[in-house]
Amino acid sequence: MIVELALYLAALLMLVGAVFSLLATIGVLRFPDLLTRMHAASKAGAVGGGLLLLAVALVSQDAAVALRAILGILFLLLTTPVAAHLLARVTYQPAEESGQQVTPPPE
């Protein structure tokens, strides 16, 4: 009973994670500029990847695999915002150094 429940929960997590990953991909392809594309990739991509790894942890039924999946989730949650911040900073920095007006991305 519990194994079946874990399998159904893992299937649901995989489905939701795949949808988030698909939305991140569509956002990267469809959004007009770097910052909005970066937003889609960093937010939805991290959530989608995290949900997929959580599903792997549930389905594996092995402590070593589950631990690696959870460490992967932590790695995603720690590194994705930092990478997005650094990318945004590099994007704005040359404009600020040259004295140009920095405009926010169009909404």
Side-chain angles (χ1 to χ4, degrees), residues 53-87:
L53 285 173
L54 187 60
V56 167
L58 279 177
V59 170
S60 69
Q61 298 180 357
D62 183 13
V65 174
L67 179 65
R68 288 182 193 139
I70 291 171
L71 288 176
I73 293 170
L74 290 175
F75 181 77
L76 270 178
L77 292 177
L78 290 176
T79 57
T80 303
V82 173
H85 174 75
L86 291 176
L87 189 58

Side-chain angles (χ1 to χ4, degrees), residues 9-94:
L9 183 61
L12 179 68
L13 288 173
M14 280 189 182
L15 183 65
V16 174
V19 168
F20 270 99
S21 297
L22 176 67
L23 291 175
T25 303
I26 291 172
V28 167
L29 292 176
R30 298 286 299 179
F31 283 150
D33 60 355
L34 174 72
L35 295 178
T36 54
R37 289 178 182 167
M38 183 182 61
H39 177 76
S42 63
K43 305 296 184 208
V47 171
L51 289 176
L52 289 172
L53 285 173
L54 187 60
V56 167
L58 279 177
V59 170
S60 69
Q61 298 180 357
D62 183 13
V65 174
L67 179 65
R68 288 182 193 139
I70 291 171
L71 288 176
I73 293 170
L74 290 175
F75 181 77
L76 270 178
L77 292 177
L78 290 176
T79 57
T80 303
V82 173
H85 174 75
L86 291 176
L87 189 58
R89 185 174 175 179
V90 168
T91 302
Y92 273 118
Q93 202 166 23

